[in-house]
Amino acid sequence: MPDLPRVVVTESLAAEPMAWLRQHADVVESSPDRVKEDLAGARGLVVRTYTTVNADLLDGGPDLNVVGRAGVALDNVDIGACRARGVEVVHTPGANSDAVAEFVFALIFDAIRPRVMLDKPLELGAWSSLRTELVASRQIAGSTIGIWGMGRIGTRIARIGTAFGATVLFHDIQEITDDWRNGGTPVSREELLERSDIVTLNMDEREKNRALVNADAFGRMRSDVVFVNCARGMVIDPVACAEFFVNHPGAIALLDVHDPEPFTATYPLLDINNVKLLPHIGAATRPAKINMSWVVRDVLRVIEGETPEHPAPLA
């Protein structure tokens, strides 16, 4: 299709945005391990999570105008290297915020509300035993939820937590205006960790956040904390995390993100009974996948010389 700009796609997109892209571009379906050899002549590159866009990769695409990240975080895209070559970077902020916020509460309910599904009749004794065994020791109403990072996802968690009747605390490096707090109260990092029954991480992937949740942070948490990370694996010190949960069997960690992904047999958080590991599925809803895949619209805008709706931040 010589009259259409070539766009390389390295990871799967939702069907409707992909069909739209095929109508407007010569689409090359590639993969993270062979993308460099497919970039010759390409004007656009669309990636998701497991394609690393760096200077070396960009050397294979001298005609590139734009890199589109079908998602929010940009830790796998070297924005500086792109812009040094005149390559715009676009993404989809907010596309998966509702999905991740809902997932955070799905994990919390898994942690605090034991339950079983019945597939056969039970005698009264077994029925009564289950009703006794499955009494939860806590509930969200009346608990304190601490939100570390009050961005798009954090504000949604605050709204949901407040609706459930929880006390919501938050800590963020930026001033959060009243209209974004959704019932949350700003506190210091120390107060958030010390007071919260549930701690959820929602900070971004900037390098200064690496291992931000360290031994000192874990040492301030309650001995029975429910700790949720659906942000980025790199924000946690995994050794400090492992030590805390080994030493506090009444606490529980629910970790959807890891560093690296996929993790290996040497991962410090493996084989700890109260640490639950998930395969990075917080954004795994069909609506979120569709929303993220529509990054292709901005990719075409840039190729056609238009201003994108969602360019990557400057820093």
Side-chain angles (χ1 to χ4, degrees), residues 99 110 135 153 190 195 202 206 250:
D110 283 343
V135 174
I153 295 170
E190 293 76 14
R195 288 181 55 189
N202 305 283
R206 69 189 72 187

Side-chain angles (χ1 to χ4, degrees), residues 37-306:
E37 61 196 68
D38 289 335
L39 278 181
R43 303 275 304 281
L45 170 64
V46 181
V47 304
R48 286 179 56 196
T49 304
Y50 300 115
T51 304
T52 299
V53 180
N54 53 25
D56 177 66
L57 178 65
L58 294 168
D59 286 342
D63 299 317
L64 273 180
N65 300 124
V66 58
V67 172
R69 158 77 162 103
V72 179
L74 290 162
D75 45 315
N76 60 320
V77 179
D78 187 334
I79 299 172
C82 289
R83 290 194 168 138
R85 290 164 169 77
V87 178
E88 182 62 272
V89 179
V90 295
H91 64 149
T92 55
N96 62 7
S97 298
D98 289 327
V100 176
E102 290 178 7
F103 187 66
V104 167
F105 280 93
L107 294 179
I108 293 170
F109 280 122
D110 283 343
I112 69 173
R113 289 303 302 264
R115 55 201 185 273
V116 297
M117 302 298 172
L118 303 178
D119 59 2
K120 60 183 178 182
L122 297 177
E123 298 292 336
L124 178 59
W127 181 276
S128 299
S129 293
L130 280 177
R131 296 191 68 223
T132 300
E133 293 167 8
L134 297 175
V135 174
S137 61
R138 62 174 105 180
Q139 57 190 33
I140 292 179
S143 295
T144 298
I145 298 176
I147 303 169
W148 192 346
M150 195 68 164
R152 293 181 178 87
I153 295 170
T155 56
R156 285 166 168 80
I157 293 171
R159 184 176 66 229
I160 297 168
T162 299
F164 273 128
T167 297
V168 175
L169 310 177
F170 71 86
H171 175 70
D172 199 285
I173 59 174
Q174 297 182 358
E175 176 66 25
I176 305 300
T177 58
D178 290 344
D179 55 328
W180 280 94
R181 292 181 180 181
N182 289 330
T185 300
V187 295
S188 67
R189 178 196 77 119
E190 293 76 14
E191 184 176 354
L192 181 141
L193 296 174
E194 291 163 5
R195 288 181 55 189
S196 297
D197 303 295
I198 300 164
V199 173
T200 172
L201 305 183
N202 305 283
M203 64 277 284
D204 63 28
E205 73 282 359
R206 69 189 72 187
E207 186 58 30
K208 70 179 181 180
N209 286 343
R210 183 171 295 280
L212 185 65
V213 188
N214 53 22
D216 176 74
F218 283 111
R220 296 178 184 276
M221 294 184 197
R222 301 171 69 97
S223 62
D224 62 350
V225 69
V226 174
F227 176 72
V228 183
N229 185 18
C230 292
R232 277 293 180 265
M234 54 86 78
V235 304
I236 291 177
D237 178 337
V239 174
C241 184
E243 290 177 353
F244 177 84
F245 286 96
V246 167
N247 293 326
H248 297 86
I252 184 168
L254 304 154
L255 309 178
D256 185 45
V257 288
H258 314 278
D259 185 21
E261 291 185 3
F263 50 75
T264 66
T266 62
Y267 194 40
L269 293 162
L270 278 171
D271 301 321
I272 302 173
N273 288 337
N274 53 335
V275 175
K276 311 301 181 183
L277 308 177
L278 298 103
H280 200 156
I281 54 173
T285 68
R286 186 171 182 274
K289 296 285 188 185
I290 293 172
N291 292 341
M292 292 186 289
S293 295
W294 277 118
V295 73
V296 297
R297 286 177 170 151
D298 255 356
V299 168
L300 261 293
R301 286 189 184 98
V302 174
I303 290 173
E304 293 171 357
E306 300 177 12

